[in-house]
Amino acid sequence: MTIESQQANYDNIKQQLEEFAHQYYVLDAPSVPDAEYDRLMRQLIALEKQYPALKTADSPSQKVGGKALSKFEQVQHEIPMLSLDNGFEDADLHDFEQRIQDRLNQRETITFACEPKLDGLAVSILYENGILVQAATRGDGQVGENITENVKTIANVPLRLRGASIPTRLEVRGEVFMPKAGFEALNDQQRKSGGKLFVNPRNAAAGALRQLDSKITASRPLRLYAYSVGVLEGGDIANEQTHSGRLALLAEMGLPICPESGKVSGASECLGYFKRVAEIRDTLTYDIDGVVFKVDDLSLQARLGFVSRAPRWAMAQKFPAQEEMTILNDVEFQVGRTGAITPVARLEPVFVGGVTVSNATLHNQDEIERLNIKIGDTVVIRRAGDVIPQVVSVIQSKRPSDAKDIVFPVACPICESHVEKLEGEAVARCTGGLVCQAQRKEAIKHFASRKAFDIEGLGDKIVDQLVDKALINTPADIFNLSLPDLVALERMGDKSAVNLLRAIDAAKSTTLPKFLYALGIREVGEATARNLAMHFKTLDAVIAADHDALIEVNDVGGVVAEHIVNFMGEEANVKIIRQLSDAGVHWPEIEAPNEDEQPFAGQSIVLTGTLSQMGRSEAKARLQALGAKVTGSVSAKTDLLIAGEKAGSKLAKAAELGIETWDEQQFVDYLSKLN
């Protein structure tokens, strides 16, 4: 086909892509799935490769990046990109309004356009006859860098303006930023690939925008919000006399505007808007560091003019700084309620995020190694809203000669039990689950829960009181409680206390699976506890089992085996177990099942889909009790597939392999015949 016959096809595809991109990135109302957009983009790129003459400056293919540059050219701004004066106190807004009224010699209430101050990079984008022809950084306000190819790749920046009244020349000024979700995804990607993590979204955006290879920029999740106009020639927008009105016209031309932008009257309403934005700051999808207020009337802006570096008609009211530098004086290790060991930085107090901070989290050992942090270092602390302060980076150039390595404990700082950190896990944990003071309440609550010892009346609030009053320290102490102990508790009358004592006494009669589950060993749930009990038959055999013996148990892998070995390897845990036995806790002996009691012995069975008559865990436990090995994937070795509602690929694969398949009702009927 000739290039002439392909022109209409090319123009149609290009128009569709432009419309879909506008709906997705600007209106936030996508009308087609991503796959359809990608399909059309591939068609467009293929046409441009086959017929290079079709390619235009506003082609959507520019979004994927062009030829890499050797350096950035300089761009002289036709109208300087000035800074803004900053305010930090409530009084600063009132002073701002007062200065404006004094200079205008009027006392009428001033209308202000207002918008969140994005924490990104200011850029200038020039359109000629609606086509993007140049983009530049702010630079020093007079001269910036030519980043046209990079800005073209930003998803919500139109390469061609929309509408009928397009200016001959239009310079749009805006802020390029990286949304929080995109920043987290980028860092996850960097972490997986072993790359350097970015400190914050602004740094990530800056690095992406100044890449010499625009394909790298295209791979980064950048966005833009337009906030003003510079050079302007022609179009209806030239006749608009308010700043907010111009922003609305920019939106009609397809340019993205911050959805939180607004308009208020007077300093008091400015302050109210500032406080409202501060309240929702942490819920916004992008980072901000304040609010910008501009006199909305453009004729008043012209009368007010500029000082050397900033307009008199605008100001930025800043939030308290979220990042500051300070000294890491020491590191202490805290133990959480689940046994997680968390390093806590003890800092030289510093005012950040509106409060004085002297402690910050270091998360885990991997984070300490990633930061390459030592005691004595100068560090950057970040505090955003109510988020726990954290150390985000180290100023390596300020490291003192006597800086000390941070040594992670091998024993719990609370109970001195062994600290467990398995390969592939970031968190280290104390293994003294039954004796560690930090884990005490959670261990006892789990022990008394319905699926464990099921002690009716021993709820969370009662456990909290008993521990707080030092009436119980371990699960074994539950069985030593007396009537005077209980009636002394809040909201515990004589009758409730007697009922609770009866429930405690009744709970002494249990089963070995429930007892093992009640110990709270990591990743030992009901099914695993049952498998351990049925395999080893006695508690002593479980305690004595080594790693090799444990992995022979159905549903016990290497990680779970290590958890069990570490738990039973703590003498203090075993001591509590013996105390429970001494307190009268008992269960019937487990006898080897007859062959007719385990009709699925040696068979591999897979569960898939939604089971409406029983939960997946119950079905798995029933099958394991009947001797089955329940696996997660279908293979040629699978003996039976039990499929519930909405069964998918596993059902299809079983049919392909000719594997016997039951629906849920067949399984339920089979179980009924066994009873």
Side-chain angles (χ1 to χ4, degrees), residues 10-157:
Y10 177 81
D11 290 343
N12 179 54
I13 293 174
K14 189 173 78 167
Q15 184 179 0
Q16 287 186 71
L17 286 168
E18 289 171 350
E19 182 61 29
F20 293 155
H22 179 70
Q23 292 169 353
Y24 187 98
Y25 294 110
V26 179
L27 303 181
D28 196 23
S31 59
V32 296
D34 292 348
E36 174 64 10
Y37 182 91
D38 294 340
R39 184 183 65 80
L40 288 172
M41 180 64 80
R42 288 194 295 271
Q43 288 185 22
L44 186 83
I45 292 173
L47 281 171
E48 291 177 344
K49 285 182 178 178
Q50 187 174 0
Y51 305 103
L54 290 176
K55 189 173 183 178
T56 57
D58 63 331
S59 169
S61 66
Q62 300 296 299
K63 296 292 183 186
V64 300
K67 184 178 179 181
L69 305 174
S70 59
K71 65 176 183 178
F72 292 113
E73 298 175 352
Q74 290 193 330
V75 173
Q76 181 79 35
H77 296 301
E78 296 181 46
I79 298 175
M81 294 183 71
L82 301 180
S83 302
L84 295 176
D85 286 332
N86 293 326
F88 298 94
E89 307 292 338
D90 292 356
D92 294 334
L93 278 170
H94 292 284
D95 292 343
F96 173 56
E97 182 182 45
Q98 185 68 51
R99 289 194 301 272
I100 290 171
Q101 291 176 329
D102 290 346
R103 190 165 188 85
L104 296 174
N105 194 25
Q106 67 176 50
R107 287 293 170 263
E108 290 86 352
T109 301
I110 304 295
T111 299
F112 294 96
C114 44
E115 63 205 30
K117 184 178 182 299
L118 280 81
D119 195 10
L121 292 92
V123 297
S124 161
I125 306 176
L126 180 63
Y127 290 87
E128 292 184 349
N129 296 314
I131 304 297
L132 192 160
V133 297
Q134 180 180 279
T137 62
R138 177 184 176 276
D140 63 5
Q142 301 291 332
V143 177
E145 291 177 311
N146 189 331
I147 52 169
T148 306
E149 297 307 312
N150 289 349
V151 167
K152 280 183 176 181
T153 70
I154 299 174
N156 69 342
V157 173

Side-chain angles (χ1 to χ4, degrees), residues 600 605 607 618-628 630 642 667:
F600 292 132
I605 299 179
L607 292 165
E618 182 185 350
K620 182 177 180 180
R622 295 291 296 273
L623 286 167
Q624 289 174 335
L626 295 173
V630 181
I642 298 174
F667 178 47

Side-chain angles (χ1 to χ4, degrees), residues 326-335 342-350 357-362 373-379 381 388-391 406:
T326 188
I327 305 295
L328 175 63
N329 290 328
D330 199 1
V331 174
E332 295 181 4
F333 294 90
Q334 294 183 347
V335 184
T342 303
V344 178
R346 302 304 184 195
L347 308 165
E348 195 68 29
V350 60
V357 170
S358 56
N359 303 313
T361 180
L362 284 167
I373 188 172
K374 299 189 177 192
I375 295 169
D377 274 338
T378 297
V379 297
I381 303 300
I388 297 171
Q390 59 182 321
V391 178
I406 298 169

Side-chain angles (χ1 to χ4, degrees), residues 466 471-472 477-489 497-498 500-501 504:
L466 289 169
L471 291 171
I472 56 175
D477 294 333
I478 294 172
F479 298 99
N480 296 322
L481 287 170
S482 66
L483 187 62
D485 291 336
L486 296 179
V487 295
L489 302 179
V498 169
L500 178 53
L501 285 175
I504 291 171

Side-chain angles (χ1 to χ4, degrees), residues 168-232:
T168 306
R169 298 183 80 229
L170 170 65
E171 179 197 0
V172 177
R173 293 179 173 180
E175 196 86 359
V176 172
F177 63 97
M178 188 174 289
K180 295 175 183 176
F183 170 72
E184 294 298 333
L186 177 62
N187 261 354
D188 283 344
Q189 180 182 336
Q190 291 291 102
R191 194 177 290 111
K192 290 174 183 176
S193 64
K196 181 180 178 182
L197 299 187
F198 295 96
V199 174
N200 54 49
R202 187 187 188 283
N203 286 7
L209 201 57
R210 299 193 73 258
Q211 293 287 335
L212 291 173
D213 187 350
S214 60
K215 287 185 173 64
I216 297 177
T217 307
S219 71
R220 304 286 169 80
L222 298 178
R223 296 292 183 269
L224 171 124
Y225 280 151
Y227 59 67
S228 71
V229 170
V231 175
L232 177 59

Side-chain angles (χ1 to χ4, degrees), residues 348-392:
E348 195 68 29
V350 60
F351 192 76
V352 56
V355 299
T356 298
V357 170
S358 56
N359 303 313
T361 180
L362 284 167
H363 298 293
N364 51 55
Q365 189 171 354
D366 291 350
E367 180 72 357
I368 289 173
E369 293 173 0
R370 184 189 72 79
L371 290 168
N372 185 21
I373 188 172
K374 299 189 177 192
I375 295 169
D377 274 338
T378 297
V379 297
V380 176
I381 303 300
R382 179 174 177 82
R383 181 184 181 274
D386 294 328
V387 176
I388 297 171
Q390 59 182 321
V391 178
V392 294

Side-chain angles (χ1 to χ4, degrees), residues 517-533:
Y517 172 73
L519 297 179
I521 305 170
R522 285 191 67 202
E523 298 191 46
V524 175
E526 291 177 273
T528 303
R530 180 180 181 83
N531 290 341
L532 287 167

